[in-house]
Amino acid sequence: MEEDYAKAQIPGAVEAHQKIMTHMNDNLHPVRYNTIRRLAQITLPTLILWEKNDQTNALEMGEEIHSLIKGSKTVLYDAGHYLPTLVPDQFNQDVLEFL
């Protein structure tokens, strides 16, 4: 993908990505950032935008988030992991309609 290659050419981009991935894969990450236990405390209207076949974050995770945030709205896509860049018009429309 030309877009991915172009991003990798930005000075420091590869190193930043490696740092993020190392942090995310650290065994302490789930303990440190256990957001699941906090989701039930959300009381504001919440829009969850999720990819049906996401290879990074399984649909079950999105479904769990939706079930834990009372009154949340979920919109499912057939697009890929990077929704704002893969389907920007639909993504923006869904966000604007929600707002």
Side-chain angles (χ1 to χ4, degrees), residues 2-66:
E2 289 180 34
E3 208 173 291
D4 293 333
Y5 179 78
K7 288 178 187 175
Q9 302 313 302
I10 299 170
V14 172
E15 293 81 5
H17 181 75
Q18 289 171 332
K19 186 175 179 181
I20 290 167
M21 295 310 295
T22 299
H23 174 73
M24 295 295 290
N25 289 314
D26 180 338
N27 289 335
L28 292 177
H29 181 79
V31 174
R32 202 178 295 133
Y33 301 105
N34 183 358
T35 55
I36 295 294
R37 65 183 165 82
R38 299 179 192 168
L39 293 176
Q41 298 172 12
I42 296 173
T43 58
L44 296 173
T46 303
L47 177 63
I48 300 165
L49 304 173
W50 212 270
E51 161 56 36
K52 292 178 189 175
N53 300 301
D54 195 321
Q55 299 300 306
T56 304
N57 297 309
L59 179 56
E60 292 79 16
M61 181 188 292
E63 292 168 339
E64 180 179 14
I65 291 169
H66 173 66

Side-chain angles (χ1 to χ4, degrees), residues 50-97:
W50 212 270
E51 161 56 36
K52 292 178 189 175
N53 300 301
D54 195 321
Q55 299 300 306
T56 304
N57 297 309
L59 179 56
E60 292 79 16
M61 181 188 292
E63 292 168 339
E64 180 179 14
I65 291 169
H66 173 66
S67 72
L68 292 171
I69 301 175
K70 290 183 181 176
S72 63
K73 176 184 178 186
T74 300
V75 177
L76 297 176
Y77 293 82
D78 276 318
H81 182 67
Y82 300 103
L83 297 174
T85 58
L86 294 172
V87 287
D89 293 337
Q90 185 64 48
F91 180 90
N92 291 337
Q93 179 181 338
D94 289 334
V95 171
L96 289 172
E97 285 176 8

